Amino acid sequence: MAVWGGKRAVILVWLAALVVVVSMGAASAAYKDLKAKGALDPASTHYIVLEPRRRSRQERFFCLARGRCRYKVIECPAECPIRKPKRNKVFKGCFADCSSRCETTCKHRLPNCNGYGSVCYDPRFVGGDGQMFYFHGAKGGDFAIVSDDQFQINAHFIGTRPEGRPRDFTWVQALAVMFESHSLVVAARRVAKWDDRFDALAVRWDGREVTVPTDGEAEWRAPTGGEGEKGSGGTGTREVVVERTGETNSVRVTVAGVVEMDVKVVPITEEEDRVHGYRLPPGDAFAHLEMQFRFAGLTERVEGVLGQTYRSEYVSPVKKGVAMPMMGGEDKYRTASLLSTSCPYCRFHPPTRVVVNESAAVDVA
């Protein structure tokens, strides 16, 4: 009996260890699956908006995504009853998630410069691995920040180099999202003197400037999209939406099945100029973009200054523990223009080439 008791104990220990190994394997697989999908699960927004509750005005959603949330009704918390609060700087918006999370949460609808997938300041990145780094690029240069099989996002840099400085001070002035045969450009207009009441944000769809309304739903939708996912995964026309998240200078851009990004136009303030020693020339507030990305369906081959950090096996080459960890790669990711998809490491190759005015994409003064 004693021998059997000892064998039984060994078997139980072995089984417990096996359960732990299997659990760790499942967790690892789930993590890799999340990395492969990207930070934005398309299923999260697969819902129908229902009539809000009469008294509280809390918005409700009927979920259509497959999984444990399918056909369930979820509603916004009392603290953030609606998706699009008018005073975004003060009030958080309601975010409905019909994926496996099956929940609603309150979030500011502006870029979080310390969050994953953010690009702010001069410019400072926070990668998909959570590591912070700086990528200075070059004044007047264009670089692929994300390039994958189905889309590419380029950034145009503006900057200045005070006398005696070995490099440019740079900021991101414009973004171009290219997918299928389409391009969507979000840019900061050149402003001599900053005024919060003036809308310095410009949007172009396939080379033509569009106006994002300030009333009603305060959103612009592409008149026609490319062939692909609709909403969160159906077939048909890919939704492209630009919605205001403030009265001026901030929007949320959604290209269904590709990316969701919060973008805000900000200036260089006199205090920032003094503290950092930019020595900006007069007559230019150096309006630029702060942004945060959430991606859907990234592959394990994704490239770009920011995109590479979303690969599950990626190991950051930047030095840790220093004030300004620098990321190189200017030679790998430089493109000929804001709307060019060609660079040594670029992966996206559009099926057709749409001829647009390349200079107008950035020149929004």
Side-chain angles (χ1 to χ4, degrees), residues 23-241:
S23 299
M24 290 178 65
S28 176
Y31 172 74
K32 288 184 178 181
D33 184 56
L34 178 61
K35 293 285 286 185
K37 289 182 178 179
L40 174 65
D41 185 345
S44 65
T45 55
H46 196 189
Y47 53 71
I48 297 173
V49 180
L50 304 176
E51 288 292 323
R53 289 191 176 276
R54 288 188 178 182
R55 292 186 178 181
S56 65
R57 306 306 300 168
Q58 289 167 258
E59 292 188 347
R60 302 182 299 154
F61 313 88
F62 181 68
C63 293
L64 300 173
R66 294 180 179 179
R68 70 185 186 91
C69 209
R70 190 173 180 83
Y71 301 147
K72 287 187 177 181
V73 175
I74 57 178
E75 66 178 44
C76 294
E79 309 87 72
C80 57
I82 61 176
R83 290 170 296 152
K84 302 178 182 180
K86 296 300 181 183
R87 298 176 64 193
N88 286 274
K89 290 183 179 180
V90 179
F91 300 110
K92 292 183 178 181
C94 171
F95 178 76
D97 188 342
C98 282
S99 70
S100 58
R101 293 184 178 88
C102 199
E103 63 182 7
T104 55
T105 52
C106 298
K107 297 181 180 180
H108 283 299
R109 304 176 75 241
L110 296 172
N112 175 6
C113 288
N114 295 315
Y116 285 64
S118 61
V119 184
C120 300
Y121 315 130
D122 57 346
R124 191 193 76 175
F125 290 66
V126 179
D129 58 349
Q131 295 294 317
M132 182 269 287
F133 62 89
Y134 287 81
F135 176 83
H136 289 305
K139 173 185 176 181
D142 300 281
F143 299 89
I145 58 174
V146 182
S147 185
D148 207 356
D149 294 346
Q150 300 300 318
F151 74 101
Q152 182 161 316
I153 301 176
N154 288 354
H156 178 75
F157 287 52
I158 55 172
T160 183
R161 183 182 296 192
E163 186 176 350
R165 289 283 302 178
R167 64 165 182 84
D168 299 331
F169 287 116
T170 55
W171 301 271
V172 174
Q173 181 261 339
L175 289 173
V177 182
M178 294 163 285
F179 63 99
E180 294 154 2
S181 59
H182 297 286
S183 66
L184 179 69
V185 173
V186 181
R189 300 182 188 276
R190 188 176 185 275
V191 178
K193 187 176 179 59
W194 183 259
D195 185 341
D196 283 325
R197 297 169 297 180
F198 173 72
D199 195 15
L201 188 140
V203 178
R204 281 192 169 87
W205 169 249
D206 287 346
R208 296 185 178 183
E209 187 159 352
V210 300
T211 300
V212 183
T214 56
D215 55 1
E217 288 292 306
E219 65 181 27
W220 171 87
R221 291 176 176 266
T224 179
E227 291 302 314
E229 297 181 5
K230 181 177 181 180
S232 63
T235 59
T237 301
R238 191 185 295 277
E239 289 184 324
V240 179
V241 184

Side-chain angles (χ1 to χ4, degrees), residues 121-122 134 162 165 167 169 171 268-279 324:
Y121 315 130
D122 57 346
Y134 287 81
R165 289 283 302 178
R167 64 165 182 84
F169 287 116
W171 301 271
I268 299 298
T269 65
E270 292 183 1
E271 179 65 11
E272 288 173 326
D273 189 17
R274 182 189 66 80
V275 170
H276 296 287
Y278 295 140
R279 286 181 276 167
M324 294 187 67

